[in-house]
PDB file of all heavy atoms in Angstrom:
ATOM      1  N   GLU A  47       9.802   3.313 -12.838  1.00  0.00           N
ATOM      2  CA  GLU A  47      10.696   4.287 -12.238  1.00  0.00           C
ATOM      3  C   GLU A  47      10.104   5.691 -12.281  1.00  0.00           C
ATOM      4  O   GLU A  47       9.377   6.049 -13.218  1.00  0.00           O
ATOM      5  CB  GLU A  47      12.049   4.283 -12.966  1.00  0.00           C
ATOM      6  CG  GLU A  47      12.844   2.998 -12.764  1.00  0.00           C
ATOM      7  CD  GLU A  47      14.231   3.105 -13.372  1.00  0.00           C
ATOM      8  OE1 GLU A  47      14.484   4.067 -14.124  1.00  0.00           O
ATOM      9  OE2 GLU A  47      15.054   2.209 -13.092  1.00  0.00           O
ATOM     10  N   LEU A  72      -2.355  15.783  -2.235  1.00  0.00           N
ATOM     11  CA  LEU A  72      -2.460  14.894  -1.078  1.00  0.00           C
ATOM     12  C   LEU A  72      -1.658  15.420   0.108  1.00  0.00           C
ATOM     13  O   LEU A  72      -2.138  15.407   1.242  1.00  0.00           O
ATOM     14  CB  LEU A  72      -1.987  13.488  -1.447  1.00  0.00           C
ATOM     15  CG  LEU A  72      -2.954  12.651  -2.285  1.00  0.00           C
ATOM     16  CD1 LEU A  72      -2.287  11.360  -2.737  1.00  0.00           C
ATOM     17  CD2 LEU A  72      -4.213  12.334  -1.461  1.00  0.00           C
ATOM     18  N   PRO A 103     -18.150  50.543   9.581  1.00  0.00           N
ATOM     19  CA  PRO A 103     -18.559  51.422  10.681  1.00  0.00           C
ATOM     20  C   PRO A 103     -17.941  51.019  12.021  1.00  0.00           C
ATOM     21  O   PRO A 103     -18.034  49.869  12.442  1.00  0.00           O
ATOM     22  CB  PRO A 103     -20.084  51.262  10.692  1.00  0.00           C
ATOM     23  CG  PRO A 103     -20.429  50.940   9.274  1.00  0.00           C
ATOM     24  CD  PRO A 103     -19.303  50.073   8.789  1.00  0.00           C
ATOM     25  N   SER A 145     -12.423  38.414   9.264  1.00  0.00           N
ATOM     26  CA  SER A 145     -12.189  39.750   8.723  1.00  0.00           C
ATOM     27  C   SER A 145     -13.488  40.278   8.163  1.00  0.00           C
ATOM     28  O   SER A 145     -14.216  39.557   7.478  1.00  0.00           O
ATOM     29  CB  SER A 145     -11.119  39.709   7.623  1.00  0.00           C
ATOM     30  OG  SER A 145     -10.889  41.011   7.110  1.00  0.00           O
ATOM     31  N   ILE A 146     -13.802  41.530   8.471  1.00  0.00           N
ATOM     32  CA  ILE A 146     -15.005  42.173   7.943  1.00  0.00           C
ATOM     33  C   ILE A 146     -14.567  43.177   6.885  1.00  0.00           C
ATOM     34  O   ILE A 146     -13.850  44.136   7.170  1.00  0.00           O
ATOM     35  CB  ILE A 146     -15.810  42.876   9.048  1.00  0.00           C
ATOM     36  CG1 ILE A 146     -16.200  41.865  10.130  1.00  0.00           C
ATOM     37  CG2 ILE A 146     -17.056  43.533   8.460  1.00  0.00           C
ATOM     38  CD1 ILE A 146     -16.963  42.474  11.289  1.00  0.00           C
ATOM     39  N   THR A 156     -10.440  31.526  -1.332  1.00  0.00           N
ATOM     40  CA  THR A 156     -10.170  30.125  -1.631  1.00  0.00           C
ATOM     41  C   THR A 156     -11.196  29.228  -0.963  1.00  0.00           C
ATOM     42  O   THR A 156     -12.026  29.670  -0.167  1.00  0.00           O
ATOM     43  CB  THR A 156      -8.772  29.738  -1.141  1.00  0.00           C
ATOM     44  OG1 THR A 156      -8.785  29.734   0.306  1.00  0.00           O
ATOM     45  CG2 THR A 156      -7.732  30.731  -1.628  1.00  0.00           C
ATOM     46  N   VAL A 175     -16.081  71.671   7.106  1.00  0.00           N
ATOM     47  CA  VAL A 175     -17.094  72.729   7.173  1.00  0.00           C
ATOM     48  C   VAL A 175     -16.545  74.029   6.594  1.00  0.00           C
ATOM     49  O   VAL A 175     -17.309  74.932   6.229  1.00  0.00           O
ATOM     50  CB  VAL A 175     -17.559  72.959   8.623  1.00  0.00           C
ATOM     51  CG1 VAL A 175     -18.340  71.761   9.130  1.00  0.00           C
ATOM     52  CG2 VAL A 175     -16.379  73.262   9.536  1.00  0.00           C
ATOM     53  N   LEU A 186     -21.930  65.150  -9.915  1.00  0.00           N
ATOM     54  CA  LEU A 186     -20.773  64.313  -9.613  1.00  0.00           C
ATOM     55  C   LEU A 186     -19.554  64.784 -10.392  1.00  0.00           C
ATOM     56  O   LEU A 186     -18.433  64.783  -9.878  1.00  0.00           O
ATOM     57  CB  LEU A 186     -21.080  62.846  -9.940  1.00  0.00           C
ATOM     58  CG  LEU A 186     -19.951  61.838  -9.696  1.00  0.00           C
ATOM     59  CD1 LEU A 186     -19.518  61.870  -8.235  1.00  0.00           C
ATOM     60  CD2 LEU A 186     -20.388  60.437 -10.092  1.00  0.00           C
ATOM     61  N   THR A 191     -13.735  67.167  -9.850  1.00  0.00           N
ATOM     62  CA  THR A 191     -12.674  68.140 -10.156  1.00  0.00           C
ATOM     63  C   THR A 191     -11.983  68.618  -8.891  1.00  0.00           C
ATOM     64  O   THR A 191     -10.981  69.325  -8.958  1.00  0.00           O
ATOM     65  CB  THR A 191     -13.254  69.357 -10.901  1.00  0.00           C
ATOM     66  OG1 THR A 191     -14.202  70.031 -10.057  1.00  0.00           O
ATOM     67  CG2 THR A 191     -13.944  68.925 -12.190  1.00  0.00           C
ATOM     68  N   LYS A 226      -5.751  65.970   6.755  1.00  0.00           N
ATOM     69  CA  LYS A 226      -5.625  66.604   5.435  1.00  0.00           C
ATOM     70  C   LYS A 226      -6.961  67.178   4.975  1.00  0.00           C
ATOM     71  O   LYS A 226      -7.007  68.200   4.290  1.00  0.00           O
ATOM     72  CB  LYS A 226      -5.115  65.563   4.413  1.00  0.00           C
ATOM     73  CG  LYS A 226      -3.655  65.193   4.579  1.00  0.00           C
ATOM     74  CD  LYS A 226      -3.253  64.099   3.596  1.00  0.00           C
ATOM     75  CE  LYS A 226      -3.302  64.545   2.146  1.00  0.00           C
ATOM     76  NZ  LYS A 226      -2.262  65.535   1.823  1.00  0.00           N
ATOM     77  N   LEU A 267     -18.309  39.063   6.152  1.00  0.00           N
ATOM     78  CA  LEU A 267     -17.415  38.500   7.152  1.00  0.00           C
ATOM     79  C   LEU A 267     -16.782  37.239   6.568  1.00  0.00           C
ATOM     80  O   LEU A 267     -17.487  36.313   6.166  1.00  0.00           O
ATOM     81  CB  LEU A 267     -18.176  38.169   8.437  1.00  0.00           C
ATOM     82  CG  LEU A 267     -17.355  37.621   9.614  1.00  0.00           C
ATOM     83  CD1 LEU A 267     -17.962  38.072  10.940  1.00  0.00           C
ATOM     84  CD2 LEU A 267     -17.283  36.098   9.588  1.00  0.00           C
ATOM     85  N   PRO A 270     -12.078  31.269   8.538  1.00  0.00           N
ATOM     86  CA  PRO A 270     -11.552  29.963   8.130  1.00  0.00           C
ATOM     87  C   PRO A 270     -12.603  28.882   8.368  1.00  0.00           C
ATOM     88  O   PRO A 270     -13.241  28.850   9.426  1.00  0.00           O
ATOM     89  CB  PRO A 270     -10.331  29.771   9.036  1.00  0.00           C
ATOM     90  CG  PRO A 270     -10.614  30.613  10.234  1.00  0.00           C
ATOM     91  CD  PRO A 270     -11.425  31.790   9.746  1.00  0.00           C
ATOM     92  N   LEU A 271     -12.781  28.006   7.414  1.00  0.00           N
ATOM     93  CA  LEU A 271     -13.829  26.990   7.528  1.00  0.00           C
ATOM     94  C   LEU A 271     -13.637  26.069   8.726  1.00  0.00           C
ATOM     95  O   LEU A 271     -14.608  25.555   9.283  1.00  0.00           O
ATOM     96  CB  LEU A 271     -13.885  26.162   6.235  1.00  0.00           C
ATOM     97  CG  LEU A 271     -14.485  26.882   5.017  1.00  0.00           C
ATOM     98  CD1 LEU A 271     -14.385  25.996   3.779  1.00  0.00           C
ATOM     99  CD2 LEU A 271     -15.941  27.264   5.275  1.00  0.00           C
ATOM    100  N   ALA A 290     -24.307  42.447  13.729  1.00  0.00           N
ATOM    101  CA  ALA A 290     -24.587  43.005  12.403  1.00  0.00           C
ATOM    102  C   ALA A 290     -26.083  43.163  12.181  1.00  0.00           C
ATOM    103  O   ALA A 290     -26.529  44.129  11.553  1.00  0.00           O
ATOM    104  CB  ALA A 290     -23.983  42.101  11.330  1.00  0.00           C
ATOM    105  N   PHE A 293     -27.073  46.203  14.001  1.00  0.00           N
ATOM    106  CA  PHE A 293     -26.629  47.382  13.257  1.00  0.00           C
ATOM    107  C   PHE A 293     -27.563  47.671  12.084  1.00  0.00           C
ATOM    108  O   PHE A 293     -27.863  48.827  11.787  1.00  0.00           O
ATOM    109  CB  PHE A 293     -25.210  47.171  12.745  1.00  0.00           C
ATOM    110  CG  PHE A 293     -24.717  48.278  11.835  1.00  0.00           C
ATOM    111  CD1 PHE A 293     -24.233  49.459  12.370  1.00  0.00           C
ATOM    112  CD2 PHE A 293     -24.754  48.134  10.444  1.00  0.00           C
ATOM    113  CE1 PHE A 293     -23.798  50.489  11.554  1.00  0.00           C
ATOM    114  CE2 PHE A 293     -24.320  49.164   9.632  1.00  0.00           C
ATOM    115  CZ  PHE A 293     -23.840  50.341  10.166  1.00  0.00           C
TER     116      PHE A 293
END
Side-chain angles (χ1 to χ4, degrees):
E47 292 186 348
L72 284 172
S145 180
I146 302 178
T156 69
V175 292
L186 179 59
T191 63
K226 287 176 66 69
L267 183 148
L271 287 176
F293 174 81

